[in-house]
Amino acid sequence: MEEEYIKLIFGLKLKQLRTKKKLSLFGLSKLSGLSKSYLNEIEKGKKYPKTDKIALLAEKLEVPYDSMVSLKLDKNLAPVGELLQSKVLKELPLELFGIKESDLIDIVANAPTKVNAFIATIIEIAKHYNFGKENFYLASLRSFQEASNNFFPELEEAVQNFSKAYQVHLKKSLGSKELEEILVEEYGYTINNKELGKYSELDNLRSIFIPKTKTLLIADHIDEAQRTFIYAKEIGYNYLNIEERLYTFTWIKFNNFDQVLNNFYASYFAGALVIPRDLITKDIDAFLAKPTFDKTFLANIKKSYNASPESIYQRLTNILPNDYHLENLFFLRLSHKGNSNRFEITKELHLTHQHSPHGNETNEKYCRRWVSIRVLQDIAKSSEEHLMDVQISHYPTDGLSYLIFSSATADPFKKDMYRSVSLGLLINNELKKKVKFLDDRAIKTFEVGVTCERCAIPDCAVRQSAPTILERQKKYATTEDVVAKLQEKFG
């Protein structure tokens, strides 16, 4: 067993025995003659006492020596031991949020029964919703992005430094050829465009990196924008000196949180390189200043930056909060199979607070009034490569309205599959100041819900399910009201 685990277990047992004797650390120090600071270090799992010290503590606490050194824990602390031995805490990105493992152990140890019940509850919920380790890592990453307003100055600066060092000019659109040359000449890459196409099992992958030979296998059917992003991301991994990384794009699985975080860093670097901050802000300025909504903006910007709609929308989630103080926004990516009635949220980000349109794992039907879904339905029926629309969505339940832009494209890797990406901006005083076309009558307003099962909008022509959850909540509220009246009448 790990030495660290043995120290932690001994410390927990000592603290439990001391507490049972109703002794403070000061009291145990006087009783044993050992310093208070030394005993505190033991209880926190930082030190393991020598044999004579253990014998002394066992004598003063009136327990057998063998019991003191045994790794067997009583029923109150047993779940804590299981938690420590499972190494779950090692997998959690605690340091990212400024949490020390020792602090968490201390919380668990101080109220083991209650905290363990809470942990068990979380695990049960996770199982019920099929929430695995990878889901947890991605949720942790979203929280990290949201806490930083999804803007990372050190990565923006790294892109600027890279452009100077390699004379990559960020005043114009980057092409894949320029980035490929850097990968080959500077980082010793070999680019292989044929091998992936030989394996039908890998048709959903865009690239695989083979670290031993520095070979980058690229799918032969990707477009110029996708190739440019893959090259930019590989440069990001190298320029940022990232070693703990993923080798496939898209990812197959994550082994640890560092891979998740580093994948994000490399992707952010790529987005900032392909869509430079100075250029995109000029386009945003021109777009927001127009008195009427320019539906061609995103189509034109896609050509300007050699980037996919998703990369552009993601980049806007970096720039708008920091440079325009439009912090209250959300990003959604939905997928849809053309001949089905199912729509799935496959990626989301919420800055400032958890906005109403968010993913769920309960098989509820997302509101069909969302522009995110409408563009997916439209592109599935058309021969267009890219469809874009805008609407104002008003949520009666929250009393909030959002200006939402949404783009849909066919999934290049899956037949009859479509994706939409959407950016939602809360309509508040800040947005009204910045967006001149907000009053454009061509932008339609829709009352929307989150899911049909929770929506109170009457006579909805596109409703997919009765408001069952809402009806159940109303029934519970009515029951509580009658019980309260009876208590008042007979109390």
Side-chain angles (χ1 to χ4, degrees):
M1 275 192 193
E2 287 185 19
E3 184 182 343
E4 186 180 355
Y5 171 72
I6 295 171
K7 287 181 185 178
L8 287 168
I9 292 298
F10 187 88
L12 288 171
K13 291 185 78 169
L14 178 61
K15 184 170 185 175
Q16 188 184 46
L17 290 168
R18 175 177 64 77
T19 305
K20 279 183 179 178
K21 291 285 185 182
K22 295 183 170 53
L23 284 168
S24 66
L25 270 173
F26 180 83
L28 182 58
S29 174
K30 287 196 71 175
L31 185 65
S32 65
L34 302 174
S35 74
K36 179 183 169 184
S37 60
Y38 177 63
L39 291 170
N40 186 46
E41 293 276 284
I42 294 172
E43 288 193 359
K44 287 185 178 297
K46 294 181 179 178
K47 288 187 177 178
Y48 191 86
K50 293 182 179 178
T51 305
D52 59 328
K53 301 289 194 304
I54 296 174
L56 176 64
L57 288 168
E59 178 192 341
K60 299 302 180 184
L61 292 169
E62 299 176 329
V63 293
Y65 177 91
D66 288 347
S67 175
M68 284 285 289
V69 296
S70 169
L71 292 173
K72 188 177 180 181
L73 297 167
D74 68 17
K75 64 179 182 181
N76 280 342
L77 282 178
V80 183
E82 290 175 14
L83 185 67
L84 295 174
Q85 200 168 10
S86 70
K87 300 182 182 178
V88 168
L89 294 181
K90 297 289 185 190
E91 294 180 349
L92 305 183
L94 299 174
E95 71 286 345
L96 197 66
F97 302 102
I99 301 170
K100 294 180 181 177
E101 184 182 332
S102 58
D103 295 337
L104 201 57
I105 292 168
D106 205 38
I107 292 169
V108 176
N110 279 326
T113 304
K114 292 179 181 178
V115 177
N116 285 321
F118 174 72
I119 291 169
T121 302
I122 295 298
I123 290 170
E124 282 302 309
I125 292 171
K127 287 178 181 175
H128 182 69
Y129 287 100
N130 194 26
F131 191 85
K133 184 173 71 175
E134 289 171 348
N135 304 86
F136 178 83
Y137 287 161
L138 292 171
S140 298
L141 175 63
R142 281 200 302 273
S143 297
F144 176 55
Q145 290 176 258
E146 290 160 10
S148 307
N149 260 351
N150 204 32
F151 184 81
F152 296 86
E154 65 278 11
L155 295 175
E156 300 283 345
E157 185 180 353
V159 168
Q160 292 294 326
N161 293 338
F162 170 81
S163 72
K164 291 176 184 176
Y166 290 88
Q167 288 298 290
V168 173
H169 300 293
L170 301 182
K171 301 295 182 185
K172 61 180 181 64
S173 176
L174 284 173
S176 64
K177 289 292 183 187
E178 187 174 2
L179 299 182
E180 181 177 319
E181 185 180 7
I182 294 171
L183 282 175
V184 173
E185 296 295 330
E186 181 66 16
Y187 297 115
Y189 273 50
T190 298
I191 310 297
N192 185 315
N193 296 298
K194 297 179 180 179
E195 190 67 23
L196 274 190
K198 297 176 183 178
Y199 304 90
S200 59
E201 304 90 343
L202 305 180
D203 59 359
N204 62 324
L205 294 183
R206 302 181 192 181
S207 67
I208 300 176
F209 178 62
I210 314 297
K212 189 174 181 180
T213 58
K214 288 193 172 183
T215 301
L216 184 63
L217 308 177
I218 300 277
D220 59 1
H221 54 283
I222 63 172
D223 62 24
E224 169 64 10
Q226 291 164 342
R227 183 178 290 273
T228 301
F229 186 84
I230 290 168
Y231 287 166
K233 190 173 178 180
E234 287 298 324
I235 287 173
Y237 274 129
N238 284 275
Y239 188 74
L240 299 172
N241 296 313
I242 292 172
E243 294 183 2
E244 187 68 55
R245 57 160 292 177
L246 299 173
Y247 296 113
T248 63
F249 182 58
T250 54
W251 59 272
I252 299 172
K253 68 174 184 177
F254 297 124
N255 294 321
N256 53 58
F257 183 73
D258 283 344
Q259 289 182 345
V260 180
L261 186 61
N262 290 336
N263 178 67
F264 167 71
Y265 285 153
S267 296
Y268 190 106
F269 181 96
L273 183 61
V274 175
I275 308 172
R277 183 178 174 189
D278 288 345
L279 280 184
I280 191 74
T281 51
K282 290 178 182 177
D283 287 319
I284 293 171
D285 288 342
F287 175 58
L288 298 182
K290 294 182 178 182
T292 57
F293 172 66
D294 179 6
K295 200 169 183 177
T296 66
F297 168 71
L298 281 163
N300 292 335
I301 209 171
K302 180 179 178 295
K303 295 174 184 175
S304 300
Y305 293 100
N306 190 20
S308 68
E310 180 168 349
S311 294
I312 294 166
Y313 279 66
Q314 291 269 27
R315 189 64 175 137
L316 290 173
T317 68
N318 306 141
I319 301 300
L320 292 177
N322 188 76
D323 293 3
Y324 294 85
H325 307 293
L326 298 175
E327 298 174 356
N328 221 315
L329 61 79
F330 66 84
F331 169 89
L332 292 179
R333 182 178 70 201
L334 279 80
S335 68
H336 169 59
K337 191 168 180 63
N339 58 1
S340 78
N341 198 32
R342 179 173 170 76
F343 298 85
E344 182 183 0
I345 291 178
T346 54
K347 194 170 188 178
E348 61 182 311
L349 180 71
H350 301 264
L351 300 189
T352 313
H353 71 264
Q354 185 75 0
H355 307 88
S356 287
H358 51 79
N360 70 76
E361 298 292 335
T362 55
N363 292 320
E364 294 175 41
K365 306 293 190 301
Y366 292 122
C367 178
R368 297 310 196 251
R369 295 185 178 195
W370 290 359
V371 64
S372 313
I373 288 179
R374 191 168 65 249
V375 291
L376 280 172
Q377 292 171 326
D378 290 344
I379 199 166
K381 299 171 188 173
S382 76
S383 57
E384 297 289 331
E385 291 183 3
H386 174 220
L387 284 180
M388 193 267 171
D389 206 349
V390 63
Q391 76 177 43
I392 292 174
S393 291
H394 177 68
Y395 287 82
T397 306
D398 300 334
L400 300 175
S401 297
Y402 297 88
L403 175 65
I404 302 177
F405 308 99
S406 192
S407 287
T409 57
D411 189 323
F413 296 94
K414 295 177 183 176
K415 188 179 179 182
D416 297 326
M417 288 293 293
Y418 302 89
R419 295 180 298 193
S420 73
V421 286
S422 301
L423 181 69
L425 304 168
L426 180 69
I427 297 178
N428 53 19
N429 289 333
E430 193 66 38
L431 190 75
K432 290 174 182 176
K433 289 178 191 173
K434 297 278 170 48
V435 182
K436 302 303 179 186
F437 59 78
L438 198 57
D439 294 325
D440 185 351
R441 292 185 179 181
I443 301 175
K444 295 180 180 178
T445 299
F446 293 83
E447 284 201 342
V448 300
V450 179
T451 65
C452 295
E453 290 83 351
R454 301 171 190 269
C455 181
I457 297 173
D459 303 321
C460 178
V462 291
R463 180 181 285 281
Q464 302 294 303
S465 174
T468 51
I469 294 176
L470 209 59
E471 289 166 356
R472 193 185 311 146
Q473 290 172 345
K474 286 179 181 177
K475 185 179 179 181
Y476 290 156
T478 303
T479 302
E480 287 178 7
D481 187 49
V482 174
V483 169
K485 287 177 181 176
L486 288 171
Q487 287 177 334
E488 186 179 342
K489 182 177 180 179
F490 294 101

